Amino acid sequence: MIKVDHISKHFEHTQALSDVSLEIDKGEIVSLIGPSGSGKSTLLRCIHGLEHPESGKIYLEDEWMDPSDEEKFRAQRSKMGFVFQHFNLFPNMTVIENCTLAQINVLQRSQEESEKIAMQYLTRVGLAEKRDEYPNKLSGGQKQRVAIARALCLHPEIMLFDEPTSALDPEMIKEVLEVMTNLAEEGMTMIVVTHEMGFARKVGSRVVFLDSGKIVEDAPSDQFFEHPQSDRAKDFLSKVFYQ
């Protein structure tokens, strides 16, 4: 469904990605893990088109995502929902307005249809009663669930999550992971940048471990956590699970 073909990306003097290749099939839940600065978020942003690699190409359903073909590129990006670390809700809009804005302006849906779809997904994430609240009245976990509902309103084929729980208090992480787990169980293709090793192990079908802008290991989740192959992955896991 997604093919990343030898992409590289740098920022000023930092090589964020170096000759990265990756393929993701429909229905897979791929966890991108690794130390801070390893290139996980940059890879996710390149896949979505928020960043453009300097070399290499990204394909969606065997079609090159060419930024110079603006109309096609926009249509390809619309097939992917993106959930940010810090929610990115509009503070001057209510929950329902946050969830209908893109539907009306991008998909040209009517106000009535947009609100109907928004309420379906707000109900799904357990926040229907918050439809008329502003983001500053919500907890961090509730904001992230609204962000997930907003992304789902556009009916994406793929969901991309960039450290969706890292800005949350520990008590709020579970409610967000439960929503993500439900999506996985329904067969949604997902790419998740995460530090939640329990989620990566139990819910994810694959782990892609990055370090210094390169993919060090790419393996089924159980295999990665039980029998990591590289010394770098072994060292990382020993620190993550150190008690």
Side-chain angles (χ1 to χ4, degrees):
M1 196 168 193
I2 294 174
K3 180 180 179 181
V4 177
D5 188 27
H6 298 284
I7 69 168
S8 295
K9 175 73 177 178
H10 79 275
F11 299 100
E12 295 184 351
H13 303 296
T14 302
Q15 187 74 37
L17 295 173
S18 180
D19 195 33
V20 169
S21 294
L22 175 69
E23 292 191 22
I24 296 168
D25 293 330
K26 186 173 182 177
E28 281 196 298
I29 300 95
V30 177
S31 302
L32 303 182
I33 70 171
S36 296
S38 60
K40 307 182 299 295
S41 292
T42 301
L43 174 56
L44 197 73
R45 293 172 68 86
C46 285
I47 290 171
H48 190 248
L50 292 169
E51 301 283 355
H52 302 317
E54 282 112 25
S55 61
K57 295 180 179 180
I58 295 172
Y59 298 84
L60 178 65
E61 297 172 326
D62 296 324
E63 295 284 339
W64 176 29
M65 293 183 65
D66 179 6
S68 66
D69 188 344
E70 294 183 8
E71 185 175 349
K72 182 179 179 182
F73 187 64
R74 190 163 49 246
Q76 289 172 314
R77 292 188 67 207
S78 71
K79 296 181 180 182
M80 295 183 276
F82 199 104
V83 177
F84 297 87
Q85 179 179 351
H86 294 289
F87 326 127
N88 284 22
L89 299 178
F90 293 103
N92 61 327
M93 294 183 177
T94 63
V95 166
I96 192 73
E97 289 170 340
N98 267 281
C99 291
T100 57
L101 181 66
Q103 295 188 68
I104 294 169
N105 293 340
V106 178
L107 300 184
Q108 308 300 314
R109 290 175 182 159
S110 68
Q111 182 75 35
E112 182 180 4
E113 182 185 11
S114 297
E115 288 197 11
K116 181 179 179 181
I117 291 171
M119 288 307 299
Q120 289 175 352
Y121 287 109
L122 287 171
T123 299
R124 184 169 171 180
V125 300
L127 291 174
E129 76 283 0
K130 301 292 185 181
R131 58 162 288 158
D132 296 318
E133 297 279 7
Y134 286 90
N136 65 354
K137 298 293 185 181
L138 305 178
S139 70
Q142 289 172 332
K143 290 176 186 176
Q144 196 60 292
R145 283 189 282 155
V146 171
I148 293 172
R150 177 180 61 180
L152 291 172
C153 284
L154 302 181
H155 296 155
E157 297 176 17
I158 304 161
M159 285 291 287
L160 310 178
F161 295 88
D162 189 6
E163 299 190 30
T165 61
S166 63
L168 302 179
D169 292 334
E171 292 179 338
M172 299 175 183
I173 290 174
K174 183 180 178 182
E175 62 191 63
V176 174
L177 291 180
E178 284 179 349
V179 172
M180 294 171 63
T181 300
N182 289 338
L183 285 176
E185 290 173 349
E186 293 168 8
M188 175 67 76
T189 305
M190 297 164 57
I191 309 174
V192 186
V193 174
T194 184
H195 294 290
E196 298 294 330
M197 296 299 107
F199 176 88
R201 185 169 191 166
K202 295 177 183 177
V203 181
S205 51
R206 274 170 66 197
V207 167
V208 175
F209 176 70
L210 293 98
D211 187 43
S212 301
K214 297 181 179 181
I215 293 177
V216 178
E217 284 198 41
D218 181 351
S221 297
D222 286 345
Q223 178 181 316
F224 176 80
F225 285 104
E226 293 175 13
H227 304 289
Q229 299 300 302
S230 67
D231 290 339
R232 183 66 186 92
K234 292 174 184 177
D235 180 61
F236 175 82
L237 291 174
S238 72
K239 294 173 179 175
V240 168
F241 291 110
Y242 176 74
Q243 298 294 329

